[in-house]
Amino acid sequence: SMDRGTLPALLEALAAQTYPATEVVVINASGAPHRPLPSLDQPARLIDPGRALSRPEAANCALDEAGEALAMFVDDDDLIEPTHVARLVEALGDAPQAPAAYAGVRLETDGNRVVKTLDEPWSSDTLLIRNFLPIHSVLFRMSAVRRRSCRFDEALTRLEDWDFWL
């Protein structure tokens, strides 16, 4: 989190998930004191490393704080539908060997006007050419991350999520 004004709406969207067993970990990447998190039915845990973090550093901090089973990343200006996590958990249940599942997302303006829908079928060949997986569209197994020692490359200043998916 960069402690943007959009964070409370994201936390409300996470609290509204129909999949009940979620833990929300907020990484303060701003380097400044973070405003207190709102009180919601779904509590969130704020991690403050005490310094500004790049996106890959913040993502690695989140991986270090993640639970044992499943995880996903969201930026503090993202929103997700109430069934997003449940649909992804179901998809992973249908494919027990898959390291991750993803779902399409909509890019919207502040006025909720849909700008673009990102929802392409899976293609490892396409992923080698370009990233078609928005960071908040993917739910992944932490066992796969740990088994392969996956981390974000902290030297990257762009496309760090694409590198992680690869």
Side-chain angles (χ1 to χ4, degrees):
S1 170
M2 296 305 286
D3 201 12
R4 293 183 262 193
T6 54
L7 180 61
L10 167 63
L11 294 174
E12 288 175 15
L14 294 171
Q17 290 300 297
T18 59
Y19 185 77
T22 58
E23 175 188 26
V24 177
V25 178
V26 177
I27 308 298
N28 178 12
S30 72
H34 199 285
R35 286 176 283 190
L37 300 178
S39 295
L40 298 168
D41 291 339
Q42 173 67 48
R45 187 165 47 106
L46 179 64
I47 305 298
D48 192 344
R51 65 181 181 87
L53 300 177
S54 66
R55 283 180 57 89
E57 289 172 324
N60 284 334
C61 183
L63 287 172
D64 293 340
E65 295 292 333
E68 293 297 316
L70 304 172
M72 69 183 293
F73 297 103
V74 289
D75 293 326
D76 58 7
D77 62 345
D78 291 335
L79 292 176
I80 58 176
E81 296 286 336
T83 59
H84 185 68
V85 173
R87 288 177 42 223
L88 292 171
V89 169
E90 183 179 340
L92 283 174
D94 292 343
Q97 299 306 315
Y102 73 100
V105 298
R106 293 183 314 274
L107 304 180
E108 299 180 355
T109 65
D110 289 341
N112 297 329
R113 184 177 61 81
V114 175
V115 175
K116 186 175 185 178
T117 299
L118 302 171
D119 192 12
E120 295 184 37
W122 171 252
S123 168
S124 56
D125 291 338
T126 300
L127 190 61
L128 289 172
I129 298 167
R130 64 181 170 78
N131 186 13
F132 61 93
L133 301 173
I135 199 161
H136 62 291
S137 70
V138 181
L139 181 72
F140 54 92
R141 296 181 200 277
M142 285 301 299
S143 60
V145 168
R146 291 189 175 111
R147 183 173 51 255
R148 294 189 175 115
S149 300
C150 295
R151 302 289 287 174
F152 280 73
D153 184 339
E154 295 182 0
L156 296 176
T157 58
R158 294 177 22 157
L159 305 173
E160 68 283 343
D161 56 333
W162 184 19
D163 180 69
F164 182 77
W165 303 140
L166 289 170

